[in-house]
Amino acid sequence: MRVSQILLNIISNAVKFTEKGSITIHCSAEAETPHSLRAVFRIRDTGIGISAAKQASVFERFTQADAAISRKYGGSGLGLAIARELAQVMGGSIELDSKPGKGTEFLVKLPFVKASAHAEPDQPEATATTGCAGCRVLVVEDNVLNQKMTRLMLENNGYTAFGVNSGTKALSWLRKNTADLILMDIQIPGMDGYAATRKIREELGLQTPIIAITAHAFSGEKRNAWPRA
Ligand code: ADP
């Protein structure tokens, strides 16, 4: 789970900051012993790049490489800080090499212990599906990868998940379909999560529970919470 969270963050940045060209993902093993190895992931893009001056600070919480860039591309400035912390907790590292206008390469190194050849296969994890199996969840999230990941996690846990990428689409989806729960990203372009939630309550008159998704876990965001039903 941690590995996919790290890679998902770096790959979704590569997609976000590369308007033309390509994104290459390469994986190899190094320092392999009979019991362990270090997995090396290289994620290379031909996007806008990051200036040398900003490269160290992109791993700090709430730092975005450039205010103008963050206005254009959006984002919370949290992802790489969390990705690096996760990698370090696992005993690994994340490095960055980038040239403005040419592209960026992230190098992720993570140590793994090999499963013993004689180990019992893992028992499938018990999933907490009681009472949830088949529940319909609408995921309102503009980031394609985050939306896909959230839907996959829900489906793996027995929910039936649907996705839309804007507040306007959420409203039109809810006019024609029903949901038992809505996961609402707050920072979606156009009609944001707050406005969409107000319309769901006031215009559509729906009391469907809505859970906000945000990387801005500040008390200010909590105070902005919409009126409860
Ligand atoms: P977010 O993308 O949510 O702003 P991140 O911590 O994931 O936050 O990234 C921090 C900043 O690093 C981004 O705002 C962007 O300016 C820069 N950045 C990250 N990945 C790339 C990339 N592949 N190409 C260009 N800039 C990047």
Side-chain angles (χ1 to χ4, degrees), residues 92-153:
S93 61
I94 302 183
E95 285 160 35
L96 150 69
D97 182 22
S98 183
K99 289 198 178 54
K102 294 247 182 296
T104 304
E105 180 178 283
F106 280 91
L107 188 64
V108 182
K109 294 188 180 184
L110 299 171
F112 289 99
V113 175
K114 290 183 188 174
S116 152
H118 304 294
E120 289 292 317
D122 283 347
Q123 295 299 316
E125 275 181 41
T127 48
T129 52
T130 331
C132 304
C135 276
R136 295 162 61 87
V137 183
L138 177 63
V139 181
V140 187
E141 163 67 87
D142 64 305
N143 180 300
V144 182
L145 282 171
N146 287 350
Q147 189 200 107
K148 200 166 180 183
M149 179 88 175
T150 310
R151 283 169 51 195
L152 272 176
M153 286 195 291

Side-chain angles (χ1 to χ4, degrees), residues 43-111:
I43 299 103
R44 188 178 303 157
D45 69 57
T46 58
I48 61 172
I50 307 170
S51 71
K54 298 284 179 187
Q55 284 179 28
S57 63
V58 294
F59 290 106
E60 286 165 16
R61 283 174 183 254
F62 309 115
T63 297
Q64 293 191 323
D66 183 294
I69 288 173
S70 71
R71 270 196 302 280
K72 179 168 177 200
Y73 293 93
S76 62
L78 263 179
L80 285 176
I82 292 174
R84 181 176 258 187
E85 276 170 32
L86 285 176
Q88 286 170 346
V89 166
M90 294 172 74
S93 61
I94 302 183
E95 285 160 35
L96 150 69
D97 182 22
S98 183
K99 289 198 178 54
K102 294 247 182 296
T104 304
E105 180 178 283
F106 280 91
L107 188 64
V108 182
K109 294 188 180 184
L110 299 171

